[in-house]
Amino acid sequence: MDEHMLPCMNKKLFGVECMGCGTQRSIDLLLHGDFVGAFKMFPPIYTLIIFGIILLLHFIDKSRNYNKAIIVLVITNGIIMFINYIYKIIN
């Protein structure tokens, strides 16, 4: 699975995972139907998907205002990514 993925430059240069480490593998697991494994690999994967959909709607549907949803999802994703990052460092 890892042979076709881009390496994390942060991990390669500094030896420490970045806040986005696991995203590619999580997407790969999603595409193969392993929804629980995708969540375990990168917990904010589902909120990132929702964020992507809302962002796409923001650009396509100009009649509605998606700004509040975008702000909430950015903050939510940031918090989840930070907690996940701290968890990875501790464990």
Side-chain angles (χ1 to χ4, degrees), residues 3-62:
E3 65 274 355
H4 63 276
M5 296 191 185
L6 299 171
C8 175
M9 293 310 291
N10 194 58
K11 190 171 185 177
K12 210 171 210 185
L13 293 173
F14 304 114
V16 180
E17 290 188 357
C18 69
M19 288 178 69
C21 274
T23 307
Q24 289 183 84
R25 290 172 289 178
S26 181
I27 291 170
D28 188 52
L29 289 168
L30 272 179
L31 293 174
H32 287 93
D34 187 0
F35 302 109
V36 174
F39 178 79
K40 288 179 180 179
M41 183 63 62
F42 188 67
I45 188 68
Y46 296 112
T47 53
L48 280 176
I49 291 170
I50 294 168
F51 172 70
I53 292 168
I54 296 294
L55 198 59
L56 186 65
L57 286 172
H58 174 71
F59 289 115
I60 293 173
D61 183 11
K62 298 293 184 184

Side-chain angles (χ1 to χ4, degrees), residues 19 44 47-48 50-52 54-55 66-82:
M19 288 178 69
T47 53
L48 280 176
I50 294 168
F51 172 70
I54 296 294
L55 198 59
Y66 294 99
N67 292 338
K68 286 182 184 177
I70 290 171
I71 291 169
V72 167
L73 285 167
V74 165
I75 293 169
T76 303
N77 282 318
I79 291 169
I80 295 170
M81 288 174 79
F82 182 72

